[in-house]
Amino acid sequence: MTKTQKLLSIAIAIFLLLDITAGIVLLVNKDKSAVRLVCGSENTTRLFALDSAASKGTIKEDGYANFKFTKTQKEYFYKTYRENGTVALTVCLQLMPTKKQMELLSSDAETLFRYGFLGNEDFTIEGKFLKKKYPDTRRIQIQGDEKKAPELFDISFAVQKNDNIEKYAPEGFFIYSSIRCRIIAACVVPAEVGFDVTKEIPFYGFACNGGLVDFERRAFDFSGASMVFPVQSNTKQTMPEYRVMLSEKPENKSTREHSVRVQMNVGGEKLYINNVNAAREIIIPAAALNAPFSRTELAENADSVESLIMRGTKALASEEGEILEPIRTDPGLILNYKTSQWRTADYEIYEWDRFPQILFFDTRNYEVQDRLFRRLAFFVEKQGYKGRLLTNDELGDMHGYNAHDYSAQSMANFFNKASELHFQLNEEELLLKRILIHNGLLEDDGFYVKANEGGLVSISRETPGWSRTNLLAHEGWHTIFFRDAEFRNYVSAVYYTFDPTSRDFLIDYFKSQPSLGYDINDEYLMHNEFMAYIMQQKLSEVANYFVHLANRGTVIKFTPDLAAYIRKTEGRGFEDAANALNDFVYDKYGIVCGNIALVNR
């Protein structure tokens, strides 16, 4: 063979080898889809295509794309469910109508997309796909009007909860579209039900019973979510929460002159959410509502809600069965939170959704509350006892408070003093310490604990309802005082500049009530209580409240002249101070005197 012939033979051999290799690759990958399944942050694999549309990842028009999961992909469903208690498949769709289809979208013709799961019944025993075995109307699926859909969106379908999740996980899924549609990717994630248009790609999530997508976001049916999330809270599980994201557009925000409140009707129960500048996210525990797994309508100011999502929580008991993790919520939902949904018989713990590390304890009665906080009350605040750890015998039947508030620093001082003296605290106090460390108010530093940011409030179910409302506001204001130096400085400025005679009356009032036992020489305490006594009631009621105090027999007897002054001036000094404080807190936090909540019933 000549040199030229040899080179030609080699070239032909290489070409045949490459051609055979390409053929093998195509044969091996003929069922692999261009669409990838995302499992976690780094794990992505190609889906198994059951038809040409699934292989390309594009539906041309009026057709289906059917996908199957591999064994490894199905195992990620199981893993996600066991780690989170829920699992769903989110699919990203892009609508790409042709010129002719654009005309179709402008007509009265029906244009739909559908999304559903494939199960064992869709395959033969040998694993062969039975294409469209059932009519579409009989299959549980998600359906939406493509005329109203955004160009790009995520659609999520949850799997039904079951201890035997292997039996309920889907074998695959299908997408149907009337117009050209690209399936960009799919993702295995914990279930979220509802809508969220705050994301770069709008999200619509459904429970395992499917449903119709309302792209106008006026309502959402959460009835099927009871098949996805726990329906009862206890030490082993916690009911889900609603996360509401409010619009930041100025025209949708409340001002001092004009309130913008979203009316949210959940199964017939009405909630009112104030859309203030200082708030973006509101958390509503499902357990706080009468019928959380119901159709929810945004009856007023729906444009102010950009996300309404029901999602699982991890507020579970520790391995020892202790409740350490709080339920995040707006304070407006604590007072009437059903005790049947408490995770313990004696107390429930909440965390203010807007202010991390502000905890609220609601106790079954004063006895439980005393075991947790009475010794702490004497150590932190009671005149003549501050800084002392009283034994049970010394405490005797002395009264603490019907409600409590403590900063992280004051609680750290209490527990560190007990450590130094090897003082034996009771079981409830030791539990309190573990709760505070778990939630970051305190940091375990070996022998001592170190204080971080935050504070704690306690109220009791034994207190009458009308009083609980005031006490929650009173103690709640204290916790903001603990965590915000700017607020403390402003309170201090008002304290020293408002009517001095009214200030003298307040100090005498504290002295006249032995049950309070405030240390009036503690400047920090006096500023804090001055603020809370003013701000615990509505602005319109402040003056009358202090006139009422000035009419008490014990107060008149202790300080007759100052009491007469308050009655004569009709409490205007306190009203002036309240106006100054109210303006500050509204501008900074969006809340007002007498109401620390943004959610009201």
Side-chain angles (χ1 to χ4, degrees):
M1 294 177 67
T2 64
K3 185 177 180 180
T4 302
Q5 288 174 325
K6 287 180 180 179
L7 290 173
L8 183 59
S9 297
I10 292 171
I12 292 171
I14 292 173
F15 175 79
L16 289 172
L17 181 63
L18 290 174
D19 191 47
I20 292 168
T21 302
I24 293 171
V25 170
L26 287 172
L27 185 64
V28 170
N29 291 284
K30 71 181 181 69
D31 294 322
K32 292 285 184 73
S33 171
V35 181
R36 290 186 171 272
L37 181 70
V38 181
C39 303
S41 57
E42 300 177 356
N43 186 2
T44 62
T45 54
R46 290 168 68 179
L47 289 160
F48 191 91
L50 296 172
D51 49 44
S52 60
S55 180
K56 297 172 185 176
T58 302
I59 300 168
K60 291 184 178 180
E61 64 177 338
D62 194 25
Y64 287 83
N66 295 280
F67 303 86
K68 192 173 190 291
F69 302 122
T70 66
K71 181 181 177 183
T72 302
Q73 290 169 345
K74 286 182 67 177
E75 286 173 351
Y76 198 79
F77 273 88
Y78 314 151
K79 181 176 182 289
T80 302
Y81 184 84
R82 293 189 184 105
E83 290 178 353
N84 300 277
T86 64
V87 65
L89 182 73
T90 299
V91 180
C92 183
L93 302 180
Q94 182 179 17
L95 302 181
M96 303 184 300
T98 63
K99 186 176 181 180
K100 183 178 180 181
Q101 290 169 350
M102 288 292 289
E103 295 175 0
L104 186 67
L105 290 172
S106 301
S107 71
D108 294 331
E110 187 177 66
T111 54
L112 299 173
F113 76 86
R114 301 187 184 100
Y115 165 30
F117 287 145
L118 299 176
N120 289 324
E121 66 277 8
D122 293 300
F123 298 88
T124 65
I125 296 175
E126 293 79 20
K128 184 180 178 181
F129 179 48
L130 300 173
K131 195 171 184 180
K132 289 185 281 189
K133 180 179 177 182
Y134 298 117
D136 296 329
T137 54
R138 293 184 56 187
R139 185 184 290 274
I140 295 175
Q141 57 190 339
I142 301 167
Q143 184 171 294
D145 184 350
E146 291 176 324
K147 290 185 177 68
K148 298 179 180 179
E151 177 188 342
L152 187 68
F153 61 96
D154 285 338
I155 191 81
S156 188
F157 209 164
V159 178
Q160 184 172 342
K161 65 184 178 184
N162 194 280
D163 291 339
N164 187 11
I165 190 61
E166 291 84 355
K167 196 174 179 180
Y168 281 79
E171 293 294 322
F173 69 98
F174 69 85
I175 298 293
Y176 166 86
S177 180
S178 299
I179 63 173
R180 188 170 65 172
C181 172
R182 182 183 170 205
I183 300 97
I184 293 179
C187 187
V188 180
V189 292
E192 291 191 343
V193 178
F195 64 83
D196 185 354
V197 298
T198 64
K199 297 180 177 180
E200 187 175 347
I201 300 175
F203 171 90
Y204 305 89
F206 285 79
C208 53
N209 64 332
L212 298 174
V213 183
D214 177 7
F215 289 110
E216 295 176 340
R217 311 189 314 275
R218 299 287 171 177
F220 200 94
D221 187 0
F222 290 96
S223 58
S226 61
M227 295 184 284
V228 177
F229 301 105
V231 297
Q232 176 68 40
S233 293
N234 51 47
T235 57
K236 298 184 184 301
Q237 62 184 23
T238 302
M239 290 178 68
E241 64 185 16
Y242 287 93
R243 186 203 63 198
V244 181
M245 296 291 283
L246 299 169
S247 169
E248 295 187 297
K249 294 178 181 177
E251 62 268 27
N252 292 333
K253 288 291 186 182
S254 288
T255 63
R256 293 187 194 184
E257 297 76 27
H258 176 64
S259 177
V260 178
R261 296 198 309 168
V262 175
Q263 182 181 320
M264 180 173 159
N265 297 344
V266 186
E269 182 179 11
K270 294 181 181 179
L271 300 180
Y272 298 91
I273 305 171
N274 195 5
N275 187 15
V276 297
N277 279 314
R280 170 70 159 154
E281 180 186 77
I282 302 294
I283 301 297
I284 302 172
L289 306 178
N290 294 326
F293 302 110
S294 305
R295 179 176 172 81
T296 296
E297 297 179 349
L298 300 173
E300 295 177 11
N301 294 309
D303 291 341
S304 291
V305 177
E306 295 183 345
S307 175
L308 177 62
I309 290 288
M310 180 179 284
R311 62 187 183 184
T313 65
K314 291 187 177 181
L316 304 178
S318 67
E319 292 181 2
E320 293 76 23
E322 294 179 331
I323 297 298
L324 306 178
E325 187 80 16
I327 292 171
R328 293 182 66 213
T329 187
D330 181 89
L333 298 170
I334 293 175
L335 293 175
N336 296 318
Y337 198 98
K338 291 178 287 188
T339 56
S340 61
Q341 292 291 358
W342 282 10
R343 294 165 297 163
T344 75
D346 286 342
Y347 67 90
E348 185 55 276
I349 321 170
Y350 309 93
E351 182 179 42
W352 201 333
D353 59 344
R354 297 178 58 206
F355 302 110
Q357 296 174 204
I358 289 185
L359 302 183
F360 295 88
F361 278 71
D362 200 359
T363 64
R364 177 167 53 87
N365 53 32
Y366 292 143
E367 181 183 353
V368 173
Q369 190 180 45
D370 281 350
R371 292 202 300 267
L372 284 161
F373 302 111
R374 185 168 62 136
R375 197 186 329 266
L376 183 58
F378 281 84
F379 178 87
V380 174
E381 290 184 344
K382 291 283 190 177
Q383 189 169 20
Y385 299 98
K386 283 180 63 174
R388 288 179 54 195
L389 292 175
L390 302 183
T391 66
N392 292 338
D393 288 340
E394 288 173 319
L395 285 170
D397 58 359
M398 288 194 297
H399 181 62
Y401 297 110
N402 291 348
H404 299 257
D405 65 271
Y406 303 105
S407 67
Q409 185 60 61
S410 63
M411 291 185 288
N413 295 341
F414 173 78
F415 289 113
N416 287 337
K417 186 76 168 182
S419 295
E420 288 173 4
L421 300 178
H422 301 284
F423 187 93
Q424 183 60 52
L425 299 174
N426 64 35
E427 285 300 318
E428 289 78 10
E429 289 163 336
L430 294 174
L431 171 62
L432 174 61
K433 183 179 181 180
R434 291 191 289 274
I435 291 171
L436 297 173
I437 291 172
H438 177 82
N439 289 287
L441 282 78
L442 303 182
E443 189 175 328
D444 195 344
D445 196 21
F447 187 74
Y448 294 104
V449 290
K450 175 185 173 184
N452 292 322
E453 292 295 325
L456 175 151
V457 166
S458 172
I459 55 176
S460 173
R461 289 284 167 145
E462 194 170 336
T463 303
W466 62 268
S467 181
R468 277 168 58 82
T469 301
N470 281 354
L471 288 174
L472 184 69
H474 179 108
E475 309 299 348
W477 286 117
H478 281 317
T479 61
I480 296 178
F481 186 90
F482 293 149
R483 77 189 308 274
D484 189 343
E486 184 183 5
F487 183 43
R488 290 197 297 273
N489 292 336
Y490 188 80
V491 169
S492 177
V494 174
Y495 181 83
Y496 287 119
T497 55
F498 95 111
D499 178 28
T501 309
S502 295
R503 182 172 62 246
D504 290 342
F505 167 79
L506 182 65
I507 294 171
D508 269 10
Y509 166 73
F510 290 152
K511 291 178 183 177
S512 72
Q513 307 299 305
S515 62
L516 294 176
Y518 294 141
D519 182 355
I520 62 169
N521 297 312
D522 186 332
E523 187 178 66
Y524 180 96
L525 178 64
M526 286 298 96
H527 294 177
N528 200 355
E529 293 301 338
F530 151 75
M531 175 276 302
Y533 270 83
I534 284 177
M535 302 191 73
Q536 70 183 7
Q537 56 269 311
K538 293 179 182 177
L539 191 62
S540 60
E541 298 172 3
V542 170
N544 287 337
Y545 174 76
F546 284 95
V547 170
H548 168 72
L549 295 185
N551 279 320
R552 284 188 183 179
T554 54
V555 178
I556 293 173
K557 183 177 180 180
F558 187 90
T559 180
D561 294 340
L562 291 177
Y565 174 82
I566 297 302
R567 293 194 299 274
K568 181 180 178 180
T569 58
E570 298 180 333
R572 283 193 294 272
F574 290 106
E575 188 175 75
D576 291 342
N579 276 302
L581 293 170
N582 197 67
D583 288 347
F584 179 91
V585 296
Y586 182 81
D587 289 341
K588 186 160 189 183
Y589 311 118
I591 48 182
V592 294
C593 283
N595 190 5
I596 61 172
L598 292 181
V599 181
N600 295 281
R601 304 189 201 231

